[in-house]
């Protein structure tokens, strides 16, 4: 067990950034804590808990919704104005005890390769806002996930904005219905007829792929599935989703 020297609970993002920016202090940010808390190691000296900084609002307009980073996953499940696909992918994040604690910002920062919630955000053309001491920067979620650690360097994810409209579909293969997917495909067709397809379980992060190039993916292998199995499933599931959108 790590022996933490200090625990901080700042009341603003600015205060959290000051704590994060200190030199010579090995600091970890904690949002909901469902992922990081059991993984704290001896390299962490101090913890900055973000639960009091705000960032817990959801805002809607006609075309997009903006979600604060500290909004819980369960709040997305409960939001009747959110796209139904996003609500369902949030529901798959785990039991409600975890969904009531885990946060949207935490899921984005973690960038887990099999996270269907992130795949849904990708097909809804999500943008991420990162606050640093020098100001805000925004980037497409797809760009953020290419190197999530570098993208949030010396900063804090504060919000994600995404489109709300469009026809959607998803398909997955897993060991059990409640398990994380071995491979999953999530798709959306926007009002202009453009299809956006995201895959889980075929790379180090959820990725957006061209529907015509699904089988060009180069997935890793693990005990749940070989690289070839994952590639074949990506093709089957991806084509199934695209067909459902046409």
């Amino acid at each position: 067990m790590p022996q933490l020297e200090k625990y901080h609970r700042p009341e603003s993002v600015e205060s959290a950034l000051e704590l994060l920016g200190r030199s010579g202090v090995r600091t970890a940010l904690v949002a909901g804590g469902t992922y990081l808390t059991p993984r704290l190691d001896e390299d962490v000296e101090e913890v900055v808990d973000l639960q009091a900084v705000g960032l817990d609002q959801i805002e809607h307009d006609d075309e997009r919704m903006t979600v604060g980073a500290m909004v819980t996953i369960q709040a997305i499940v409960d939001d009747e104005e959110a796209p139904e696909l996003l609500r369902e992918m949030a529901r798959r994040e785990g039991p409600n005890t975890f969904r009531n604690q885990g946060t949207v910002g935490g899921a984005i920062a973690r960038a887990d390769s099999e996270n269907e919630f992130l795949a849904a955000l990708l097909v809804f053309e999500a943008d991420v806002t990162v606050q640093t001491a020098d100001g805000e920067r925004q980037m497409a979620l797809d760009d953020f996930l290419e190197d999530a650690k570098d993208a949030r360097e010396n900063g804090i994810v504060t919000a994600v904005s995404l489109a709300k409209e469009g026809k959607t579909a998803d398909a997955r293969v897993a060991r059990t219905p409640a398990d994380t997917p071995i491979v999953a495909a999530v798709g959306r067709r926007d009002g202009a007829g453009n299809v956006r397809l995201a895959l889980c379980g075929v790379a180090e992060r959820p990725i957006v792929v061209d529907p015509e190039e699904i089988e060009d993916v180069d997935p890793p292998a693990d005990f749940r599935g070989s690289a070839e199995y994952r590639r074949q499933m990506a093709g089957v599931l991806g084509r199934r989703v695209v067909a459902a959108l046409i």
Side-chain angles (χ1 to χ4, degrees), residues 69 123 137 192 217 221:
V123 300
R137 60 175 182 262
V217 296

Side-chain angles (χ1 to χ4, degrees), residues 48-129:
V48 177
D49 186 338
L50 299 177
Q51 292 189 64
V53 302
L55 306 178
D56 56 356
Q57 299 297 311
I58 302 175
E59 299 178 357
H60 291 271
D61 62 28
D62 291 341
E63 297 183 351
R64 295 183 72 83
M65 63 184 289
T66 300
V67 181
M70 293 301 293
V71 169
T72 66
I73 299 297
Q74 184 60 42
I76 300 297
V77 174
D78 294 337
D79 186 353
E80 296 183 357
E81 293 186 68
E84 186 56 38
L85 176 74
L86 189 69
R87 297 176 68 190
E88 176 57 29
M89 298 302 108
R91 190 175 291 110
R92 294 180 189 176
E93 281 288 273
N96 61 4
T97 49
F98 284 88
R99 297 197 305 263
N100 277 296
Q101 190 69 27
T103 64
V104 171
I108 292 171
R110 190 168 76 244
D112 183 78
S113 66
E114 296 165 343
N115 192 303
E116 293 167 283
F117 179 67
L118 288 184
L121 290 175
L122 284 171
V123 300
F124 280 106
E125 303 175 71
D127 294 324
V128 178
T129 300

Side-chain angles (χ1 to χ4, degrees), residues 124-193:
F124 280 106
E125 303 175 71
D127 294 324
V128 178
T129 300
V130 177
Q131 177 75 42
T132 70
D134 297 324
E136 285 187 350
R137 60 175 182 262
Q138 287 188 323
M139 65 194 79
L141 176 61
D142 198 20
D143 294 334
F144 178 94
L145 293 178
E146 283 189 12
D147 191 340
K149 183 177 180 180
D150 182 68
R152 66 177 191 274
E153 185 71 22
N154 298 319
I156 296 172
V157 175
T158 57
V160 59
S161 172
L162 60 141
K164 297 196 300 184
E165 302 303 323
K167 184 178 180 180
T168 60
D170 70 283
R172 70 199 306 263
V173 60
R175 293 176 297 180
T176 71
D179 198 11
T180 55
I182 301 171
V183 178
V186 179
R188 167 178 169 262
R189 189 182 71 186
D190 65 20

